[in-house]
Amino acid sequence: MSGKHAELKDMNYARFIAAVSAARTESPIRALTDLMLRSPPSVISLAAGVPNPDTFPFKSASVVVRDGTTIEIGENLMKKALQYSASPGIPELVSWLKDLQKTLHNPPTLTYSPDKGQMELCVTSGSQEGLSKVFEMIVNPGDNVLLDAPTYSGTLAALKPLGCNIICVPSDQHGIIPQALKEILSKWKPEDAAKPERKSPKFLYTIPNGGNPTGASLTTERKMEIYQLAHEYDFLIIEDDPYYFLQFGKPWAPTFLSMDVDGRVLRTDSMSKILSSGLRIGFLSGPKPLVDRVILHIQASTLHTSTFTQVVTSQLLHKWGMKGFLEHTESVIDFYSRQRVAMLSSADKWLTGLAEWHSPSAGMFLWIKVKGVADTHQMIMEKAMQKEVLLVPGSAFNIETTESSPYVRASFSISSPEQIDQGLERLAMLIKEERK
Ligand code: PLP
């Protein structure tokens, strides 16, 4: 990839920072907490305002893993798990996750100097926290940003109130269409990026694998073309990839992070689909000057992701090692792969002639375009319940939810193959009645 760029961009990160983020300063107390956590036992700390864990009611914990082994959290570790901890995440989890990123993506930025966009990583309470803080870090009211709608409703919920101008980039079953992106960008000149009054787009947001709701996955060629455009027009890429570990085919697609020679990719990962959604563990990887800004925001909001959650996760990951973790993801993929087959064969059985769809190559969603129904909203919200089937109408993922959509999103995560079959049979009946 690096050979494709005539020269590396010297990134001016300051131009991406919104006023609210630029005004954030480090909390002196949080800095002391970090110092305290790293100090040897001989240091007497009268500085900290932390509570004494000996007063807490919990003593130890033992978590039984499905493979029959147990994670033991003894008294000492439990004291740590119940205490405040560093805002970027507990060091042992951060270093494990950095190793994971190196193994999976080998980001070129790992070897850069910190001010030149060296890759940094922090733990977040799910990828949603990382995303919403990244948006808040970058967006000033009136800024232009790019995304491929329809998209994840949580992204729209975080982004829309910030008052930016969302520019929709056309996409198909292989994700964003680079030529369409090029046409949108032709309104600007590459040198406009240095002129704030020209408001050239600050970032492109995309879900590169098993998109929610579309199930679409970007091809490697398209990613390379999109990265080249980002390089030319100097915008950031926000790679929201919670379905990365649910890719059905091998080899897994190279990520934007793996192509990031400039230091312009912010990647949000999630443990929600493979370890637990309720534990709330995600991680943000990207150029240090930007990740550090998100950490300042964490210092001012959650302080840090639950230490207990991080300790349980870290113990499991260290016990498994990278190999064990990847073996686990294989078993999860195996499950969703079978579910996908069940959904596709039921869709063939019941919806042929009534709707169209593409087989998703990652994730847990089938995006169904209903024929002859211009807007599925009323059909789903008012009539589907009577037929005892629930789906999400496509309009829920539009930038303007009042816009009509002929699509519905069907998930194959929770229902059994029999339920999936019955659910799609009911959807077929619903469509037939609606079209009458
Ligand atoms: N991004 C996308 C595309 C999602 O589909 C989801 C959850 O469904 C999230 C982010 C948030 O995930 P997390 O549980 O890691 O916050």
Side-chain angles (χ1 to χ4, degrees), residues 283-298:
F283 44 110
L284 170 70
S285 315
K288 184 170 168 52
L290 297 180
V291 173
D292 281 353
R293 289 267 129 207
V294 169
I295 294 170
L296 286 185
H297 192 171
I298 294 174

Side-chain angles (χ1 to χ4, degrees), residues 156 160 377 395-404:
L156 296 174
K160 278 170 61 177
H377 185 87
S395 55
F397 307 98
N398 281 343
I399 294 173
E400 293 306 331
T401 46
T402 47
E403 258 174 45
S404 59

